[in-house]
């Protein structure tokens, strides 16, 4: 898979991907996707909320691929999800599948780091 291209600087990318506040924000947004019945609509809602525009079909397709890849990764190596589940102060809803929350947190992080969100046109 190939995540959406971004035009941010390396330092900005490091902060957006690793700062506990951004990881926690991604997890909160990811939990919204996890708890939704229709994942595509939830992904589109998060994308629209962050970017100010609805996603294009190609973007949704890429985000679906990212989601599947991350779910496969966390299913094989559940310990990799820990950082996504513990950063920040908020707690993960115990009724949600933690591996799915971690998957959707990564997905939300990809959206946060996308060109559509970083660069306003």
């Amino acid at each position: 898979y190939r995540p959406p291209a971004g035009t941010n600087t390396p330092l900005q990318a490091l902060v957006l991907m690793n700062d506990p506040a951004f990881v926690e924000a991604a997890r909160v947004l990811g939990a919204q996707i996890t708890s939704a019945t229709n994942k595509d609509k939830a992904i589109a809602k998060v994308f629209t909320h962050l970017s100010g525009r609805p996603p294009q079909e190609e973007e949704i397709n890429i985000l679906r691929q990212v989601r599947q890849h991350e779910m496969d990764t966390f299913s094989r190596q559940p310990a990799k999800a820990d950082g996504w589940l513990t950063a920040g102060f908020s707690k993960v809803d115990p009724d949600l599948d933690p591996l799915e929350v971690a998957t959707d947190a990564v997905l939300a992080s990809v959206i946060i780091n996308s060109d559509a969100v970083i660069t306003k046109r």
Side-chain angles (χ1 to χ4, degrees):
Y1 77 93
R2 204 180 74 213
T7 57
N8 53 347
T9 66
L11 182 57
Q12 183 182 21
L14 282 171
V15 170
L16 291 174
M17 289 188 288
N18 296 308
D19 184 277
F22 284 99
V23 174
E24 182 176 19
R27 184 181 64 245
V28 170
L29 292 168
Q32 292 174 10
I33 296 169
T34 300
S35 63
T37 306
N38 184 320
K39 303 300 184 207
D40 282 354
K41 283 186 179 181
I43 292 167
K45 182 178 179 180
V46 168
F47 185 98
T48 302
H49 178 74
L50 293 173
S51 71
R53 68 165 176 83
Q56 299 170 357
E57 188 60 34
E58 179 183 4
E59 291 166 323
I60 287 290
N61 290 336
I62 291 168
L63 293 170
R64 276 190 207 114
Q65 291 174 27
V66 169
R67 188 173 194 275
Q68 186 60 55
H69 179 270
E70 294 304 321
M71 182 59 87
D72 293 345
T73 299
F74 289 139
S75 294
R76 285 190 311 273
Q77 299 172 321
K80 287 189 171 231
D82 290 347
W84 290 100
L85 299 171
T86 58
F89 296 104
S90 66
K91 301 295 178 207
V92 176
D93 182 341
D95 294 334
L96 297 176
D97 175 359
L99 295 183
E100 192 172 0
V101 172
T103 294
D104 291 329
V106 172
L107 181 64
S109 181
V110 167
I111 295 169
I112 290 168
N113 284 281
S114 70
D115 185 60
V117 173
I118 295 169
T119 306
K120 300 294 182 196
R121 291 182 169 85

